[in-house]
Amino acid sequence: MADYKHPETIALHGGTYRSDPATTAVAVPIYQTTSYQFKDAKTAANLFGLKEFGNIYTRIMNPTCNVLEERVAALEGGVAACAVGSGQAATAMCIQNLAQAGDNIVASTDLYGGTVNLFKNTLRQQGIEVRFADPADPKNFEKLTDEKTRAYYGETLPNPYLRVFPIKEVSDIGRKHGIPLVMDNTAAPVICKPLEHGAAIVLHSLTKFIGGHGTSIGGIVVDGGNFDWIKNRKRQPLLNEPDQSYGGAIWTDAVPVLTGANIPFIIRFRVVLLRDTGAPLAPFNAWQIIQGLETVGLRMKQHCSNAEKVITFLETQKKVKNVIYPTNHQGEIKERAKKYLSGGNGALVGADLGTAEAGAKFIDNLKMLYHVANIGDARSLAIHPASTTHSQLSPEEQLAAGVTPGYVRLSIGIEHPDDIIADIKQALAA
Ligand code: PLP
């Protein structure tokens, strides 16, 4: 596998795929198949017994998905990855691969709303407690840790606050205790590589910037291969105790022998959780997302440079009370943006228009920007969270989440910046 350094190159050439082994086709084929013919009975037995790796059934692996997995793993500087049906599935299964009933994890308070629902309600119903720590002070993670804490969880660039997460600070605390940091890097592909700052696992909603064209839902989990899972075996029982569904295999012992790599996390994720929960990414969606991935480096540059121009414009507007952006914070929070983001500060921009009426009216008057509950599309998008995504929360809860009544969230696309600004300008004037 060639060891390319630049994300633009990795997005096109990362991983082992060079051309289709059957036809020499250069573009990645869609392997739209459920199953694979075994060479012989012995090979089949070996595949099922994990004595050798290969294709068995598309619920667990697929060659089109494999190209995507290898490339995203390379893009993030990880060792291996597993694609799933959505970003939500990636988050849920990531936690289920580390924690079981009676365990807890410590998660940032700055998270995507869907993740908060999963953590506060569904995981709790399954017996996994999620404790929430304000990442403003990384020590808050340590304060909530006990002997049953199995993971720390954060988002690189969470909206609406857009405070960059203290990746190294929290991962250092975790590593001291044998606790891996899981980072949702959905909003910052290419511009941040959490594994380089100590995270053990990175996940993405592929639906957003990596897919980039608003066509397909998908998720992926990348194993950094950089975590000592057996330093304290009791800390990570799911990976260190015999797995009855695989003849008593202990993943931390078996996987390095089988694969030559320190990736028990992602192997168990695939062969146990993907097998049992059945949430794979469809090959056609993997193919769509690969088309997006191939230009993600270029698009992120344009997203970020357009966002900077939009901010410069918004800051001159009297109707805009506050402009929220990673580098608009002060002190330590601003320093984190400088430390962890490179090549741009992201596409997400918040504009506080003062009142809920002003926020809603602005959205209604946009002509080019789409009014959608999404981020990361090549097109510019907008939403008024107080009346939509956060409308189930009380006014106090909205404020705690950073959603002021007049807050408008913009996901700046890759159109010409003059056209984006012209649309925002006319909507503000109206
Ligand atoms: N993580 C983040 C940061 C998100 O913004 C989203 C979706 O908006 C998700 C995860 C969930 O992804 P999906 O919609 O692909 O399930």
Side-chain angles (χ1 to χ4, degrees), residues 85-91 111-115 153 155 157-159 184-187 203-208 216-219 373-375 409:
S86 68
Q88 279 297 110
T91 304
L111 292 178
Y112 163 60
T115 307
Y153 187 96
E155 248 179 62
L157 196 49
N159 72 82
D184 177 341
N185 200 31
T186 297
L203 65 88
H204 281 273
S205 162
L206 296 167
T207 317
K208 317 294 174 187
S216 311
I217 302 276
N374 194 21
I375 58 168
R409 184 187 74 195

Short mmCIF file of all heavy atoms in Angstrom, two decimals, residues 85-91 111-115 153 155 157-159 184-187 203-208 216-219 373-375 409, ligand 1:
data_model
loop_
_atom_site.label_atom_id
_atom_site.label_comp_id
_atom_site.label_asym_id
_atom_site.label_seq_id
_atom_site.Cartn_x
_atom_site.Cartn_y
_atom_site.Cartn_z
N GLY A 85 -24.36 1.73 8.12
CA GLY A 85 -25.46 2.33 7.38
C GLY A 85 -25.72 3.80 7.63
O GLY A 85 -26.39 4.46 6.82
N SER A 86 -25.21 4.36 8.72
CA SER A 86 -25.41 5.78 8.99
C SER A 86 -24.40 6.24 10.04
O SER A 86 -23.77 5.40 10.72
CB SER A 86 -26.83 6.04 9.53
OG SER A 86 -26.97 5.47 10.81
N GLY A 87 -24.30 7.55 10.20
CA GLY A 87 -23.46 8.10 11.27
C GLY A 87 -23.99 7.67 12.63
O GLY A 87 -23.22 7.38 13.55
N GLN A 88 -25.32 7.63 12.76
CA GLN A 88 -25.91 7.20 14.04
C GLN A 88 -25.50 5.78 14.39
O GLN A 88 -25.19 5.48 15.55
CB GLN A 88 -27.44 7.28 13.96
CG GLN A 88 -28.01 8.65 14.18
CD GLN A 88 -27.72 9.20 15.57
OE1 GLN A 88 -26.94 10.12 15.71
NE2 GLN A 88 -28.31 8.64 16.58
N ALA A 89 -25.53 4.90 13.39
CA ALA A 89 -25.12 3.51 13.64
C ALA A 89 -23.66 3.47 14.06
O ALA A 89 -23.27 2.70 14.95
CB ALA A 89 -25.34 2.66 12.39
N ALA A 90 -22.83 4.31 13.44
CA ALA A 90 -21.40 4.34 13.79
C ALA A 90 -21.25 4.69 15.27
O ALA A 90 -20.49 4.03 16.01
CB ALA A 90 -20.66 5.34 12.91
N THR A 91 -21.95 5.72 15.73
CA THR A 91 -21.83 6.13 17.13
C THR A 91 -22.35 5.04 18.06
O THR A 91 -21.68 4.65 19.02
CB THR A 91 -22.65 7.43 17.37
OG1 THR A 91 -22.19 8.42 16.47
CG2 THR A 91 -22.48 7.92 18.79
N LEU A 111 -22.53 18.20 21.64
CA LEU A 111 -22.72 17.07 20.73
C LEU A 111 -23.89 17.33 19.80
O LEU A 111 -24.82 18.07 20.14
CB LEU A 111 -23.04 15.80 21.53
CG LEU A 111 -21.95 15.19 22.39
CD1 LEU A 111 -22.50 13.97 23.12
CD2 LEU A 111 -20.72 14.79 21.58
N TYR A 112 -23.88 16.64 18.67
CA TYR A 112 -25.02 16.60 17.75
C TYR A 112 -26.26 16.09 18.52
O TYR A 112 -26.16 15.15 19.32
CB TYR A 112 -24.65 15.67 16.58
CG TYR A 112 -25.80 15.19 15.77
CD1 TYR A 112 -26.63 16.09 15.10
CD2 TYR A 112 -26.09 13.83 15.65
CE1 TYR A 112 -27.71 15.63 14.35
CE2 TYR A 112 -27.15 13.37 14.90
CZ TYR A 112 -27.96 14.28 14.26
OH TYR A 112 -29.02 13.84 13.52
N GLY A 113 -27.43 16.70 18.25
CA GLY A 113 -28.66 16.37 18.97
C GLY A 113 -29.03 14.89 18.91
O GLY A 113 -29.51 14.32 19.89
N GLY A 114 -28.81 14.26 17.76
CA GLY A 114 -29.13 12.83 17.62
C GLY A 114 -28.26 11.98 18.55
O GLY A 114 -28.71 10.97 19.09
N THR A 115 -27.03 12.41 18.72
CA THR A 115 -26.13 11.68 19.63
C THR A 115 -26.60 11.86 21.08
O THR A 115 -26.58 10.92 21.86
CB THR A 115 -24.68 12.22 19.47
OG1 THR A 115 -24.33 12.16 18.10
CG2 THR A 115 -23.69 11.41 20.28
N TYR A 153 -15.91 10.45 24.89
CA TYR A 153 -16.50 10.70 23.57
C TYR A 153 -16.60 12.21 23.35
O TYR A 153 -17.11 12.94 24.21
CB TYR A 153 -17.90 10.07 23.51
CG TYR A 153 -18.53 10.13 22.14
CD1 TYR A 153 -18.45 9.05 21.28
CD2 TYR A 153 -19.22 11.26 21.72
CE1 TYR A 153 -19.03 9.09 20.02
CE2 TYR A 153 -19.80 11.31 20.46
CZ TYR A 153 -19.71 10.21 19.61
OH TYR A 153 -20.27 10.26 18.38
N GLU A 155 -16.80 15.55 20.03
CA GLU A 155 -16.96 15.95 18.62
C GLU A 155 -15.93 17.02 18.32
O GLU A 155 -15.84 18.00 19.06
CB GLU A 155 -18.36 16.54 18.42
CG GLU A 155 -19.26 15.71 17.57
CD GLU A 155 -20.63 16.34 17.43
OE1 GLU A 155 -20.74 17.45 16.89
OE2 GLU A 155 -21.60 15.72 17.90
N LEU A 157 -15.75 19.42 16.03
CA LEU A 157 -16.23 20.77 15.71
C LEU A 157 -17.75 20.79 15.88
O LEU A 157 -18.50 20.77 14.92
CB LEU A 157 -15.83 21.06 14.25
CG LEU A 157 -15.87 22.49 13.75
CD1 LEU A 157 -15.16 23.42 14.70
CD2 LEU A 157 -15.20 22.55 12.38
N PRO A 158 -18.19 20.82 17.14
CA PRO A 158 -19.64 20.66 17.38
C PRO A 158 -20.41 21.96 17.20
O PRO A 158 -19.95 23.03 17.63
CB PRO A 158 -19.69 20.22 18.85
CG PRO A 158 -18.44 20.74 19.46
CD PRO A 158 -17.43 20.97 18.39
N ASN A 159 -21.57 21.88 16.55
CA ASN A 159 -22.40 23.07 16.46
C ASN A 159 -23.50 22.93 17.50
O ASN A 159 -23.83 21.83 17.90
CB ASN A 159 -22.93 23.26 15.03
CG ASN A 159 -24.00 22.25 14.66
OD1 ASN A 159 -25.16 22.42 15.00
ND2 ASN A 159 -23.62 21.17 13.98
N ASP A 184 -15.91 12.05 17.10
CA ASP A 184 -16.77 12.22 15.92
C ASP A 184 -16.17 13.39 15.13
O ASP A 184 -16.25 14.54 15.54
CB ASP A 184 -18.20 12.52 16.38
CG ASP A 184 -19.15 12.78 15.21
OD1 ASP A 184 -18.68 13.08 14.10
OD2 ASP A 184 -20.38 12.70 15.42
N ASN A 185 -15.59 13.06 13.98
CA ASN A 185 -14.87 14.07 13.18
C ASN A 185 -15.68 14.48 11.94
O ASN A 185 -15.13 14.97 10.95
CB ASN A 185 -13.51 13.49 12.75
CG ASN A 185 -12.52 14.57 12.36
OD1 ASN A 185 -12.55 15.68 12.88
ND2 ASN A 185 -11.62 14.26 11.43
N THR A 186 -17.01 14.27 12.02
CA THR A 186 -17.89 14.52 10.87
C THR A 186 -17.71 15.91 10.27
O THR A 186 -17.72 16.06 9.04
CB THR A 186 -19.36 14.35 11.33
OG1 THR A 186 -19.55 12.99 11.74
CG2 THR A 186 -20.35 14.69 10.23
N ALA A 187 -17.58 16.94 11.11
CA ALA A 187 -17.56 18.32 10.60
C ALA A 187 -16.16 18.78 10.19
O ALA A 187 -16.02 19.90 9.71
CB ALA A 187 -18.13 19.26 11.65
N LEU A 203 -14.82 8.53 14.19
CA LEU A 203 -15.97 8.12 13.37
C LEU A 203 -16.48 9.32 12.57
O LEU A 203 -16.19 10.48 12.91
CB LEU A 203 -17.08 7.50 14.23
CG LEU A 203 -17.78 8.38 15.26
CD1 LEU A 203 -18.97 9.11 14.65
CD2 LEU A 203 -18.26 7.50 16.42
N HIS A 204 -17.20 9.00 11.52
CA HIS A 204 -17.81 10.03 10.66
C HIS A 204 -19.23 9.65 10.32
O HIS A 204 -19.52 8.47 10.09
CB HIS A 204 -17.08 10.12 9.30
CG HIS A 204 -15.81 10.88 9.34
ND1 HIS A 204 -15.74 12.23 9.18
CD2 HIS A 204 -14.53 10.46 9.52
CE1 HIS A 204 -14.48 12.63 9.25
NE2 HIS A 204 -13.72 11.57 9.47
N SER A 205 -20.08 10.67 10.21
CA SER A 205 -21.28 10.52 9.41
C SER A 205 -20.80 10.80 7.98
O SER A 205 -20.44 11.95 7.66
CB SER A 205 -22.35 11.52 9.83
OG SER A 205 -23.30 11.61 8.79
N LEU A 206 -20.80 9.77 7.13
CA LEU A 206 -20.34 9.95 5.74
C LEU A 206 -21.36 10.75 4.93
O LEU A 206 -21.07 11.21 3.82
CB LEU A 206 -20.15 8.57 5.09
CG LEU A 206 -19.05 7.69 5.69
CD1 LEU A 206 -19.18 6.26 5.18
CD2 LEU A 206 -17.67 8.25 5.36
N THR A 207 -22.54 10.87 5.52
CA THR A 207 -23.64 11.63 4.92
C THR A 207 -23.25 13.08 4.65
O THR A 207 -23.84 13.72 3.78
CB THR A 207 -24.81 11.62 5.94
OG1 THR A 207 -24.96 10.31 6.50
CG2 THR A 207 -26.10 12.08 5.35
N LYS A 208 -22.30 13.59 5.42
CA LYS A 208 -21.99 15.04 5.40
C LYS A 208 -20.85 15.34 4.42
O LYS A 208 -20.96 15.06 3.25
CB LYS A 208 -21.66 15.50 6.81
CG LYS A 208 -22.60 14.96 7.88
CD LYS A 208 -24.01 15.47 7.72
CE LYS A 208 -24.93 14.78 8.71
NZ LYS A 208 -26.31 15.05 8.57
N SER A 216 -26.55 10.19 -0.07
CA SER A 216 -26.55 8.88 0.61
C SER A 216 -26.21 9.02 2.08
O SER A 216 -25.29 9.76 2.45
CB SER A 216 -25.49 7.96 -0.02
OG SER A 216 -25.62 7.96 -1.42
N ILE A 217 -26.93 8.25 2.91
CA ILE A 217 -26.64 8.19 4.34
C ILE A 217 -25.60 7.11 4.57
O ILE A 217 -25.69 6.02 3.99
CB ILE A 217 -27.93 7.84 5.12
CG1 ILE A 217 -29.05 8.85 4.85
CG2 ILE A 217 -27.66 7.67 6.61
CD1 ILE A 217 -29.05 10.10 5.64
N GLY A 218 -24.62 7.40 5.41
CA GLY A 218 -23.60 6.39 5.71
C GLY A 218 -22.77 6.80 6.91
O GLY A 218 -22.78 7.97 7.32
N GLY A 219 -22.09 5.84 7.49
CA GLY A 219 -21.21 6.12 8.63
C GLY A 219 -19.98 5.25 8.56
O GLY A 219 -19.97 4.23 7.84
N ALA A 373 -32.32 20.26 7.32
CA ALA A 373 -31.69 19.77 8.55
C ALA A 373 -30.48 18.92 8.16
O ALA A 373 -30.47 17.71 8.33
CB ALA A 373 -32.69 18.94 9.35
N ASN A 374 -29.49 19.58 7.60
CA ASN A 374 -28.30 18.84 7.19
C ASN A 374 -27.11 19.79 7.19
O ASN A 374 -27.29 21.02 7.24
CB ASN A 374 -28.50 18.24 5.78
CG ASN A 374 -27.46 17.20 5.42
OD1 ASN A 374 -26.81 16.62 6.30
ND2 ASN A 374 -27.29 16.94 4.14
N ILE A 375 -25.92 19.23 7.17
CA ILE A 375 -24.70 20.02 7.02
C ILE A 375 -23.81 19.30 6.02
O ILE A 375 -24.04 18.13 5.70
CB ILE A 375 -23.92 20.20 8.37
CG1 ILE A 375 -23.55 18.81 8.95
CG2 ILE A 375 -24.70 21.03 9.36
CD1 ILE A 375 -22.57 18.87 10.10
N ARG A 409 -28.07 28.66 11.79
CA ARG A 409 -26.89 27.86 11.45
C ARG A 409 -26.73 27.79 9.94
O ARG A 409 -27.67 27.43 9.23
CB ARG A 409 -27.01 26.44 12.00
CG ARG A 409 -25.75 25.61 11.74
CD ARG A 409 -25.94 24.18 12.15
NE ARG A 409 -26.78 23.44 11.21
CZ ARG A 409 -27.33 22.26 11.46
NH1 ARG A 409 -27.16 21.69 12.63
NH2 ARG A 409 -28.08 21.64 10.55
N1 PLP B 1 -22.54 13.17 13.93
C1 PLP B 1 -22.74 14.44 13.56
C2 PLP B 1 -21.78 15.50 13.99
C3 PLP B 1 -23.85 14.79 12.79
O1 PLP B 1 -24.06 16.07 12.42
C4 PLP B 1 -24.76 13.76 12.40
C5 PLP B 1 -25.97 14.06 11.59
O2 PLP B 1 -26.36 15.20 11.46
C6 PLP B 1 -24.50 12.44 12.82
C7 PLP B 1 -23.38 12.18 13.56
C8 PLP B 1 -25.42 11.31 12.45
O3 PLP B 1 -25.22 11.00 11.12
P1 PLP B 1 -26.30 10.32 10.14
O4 PLP B 1 -27.33 11.35 9.86
O5 PLP B 1 -25.50 9.89 8.97
O6 PLP B 1 -26.89 9.16 10.89
#
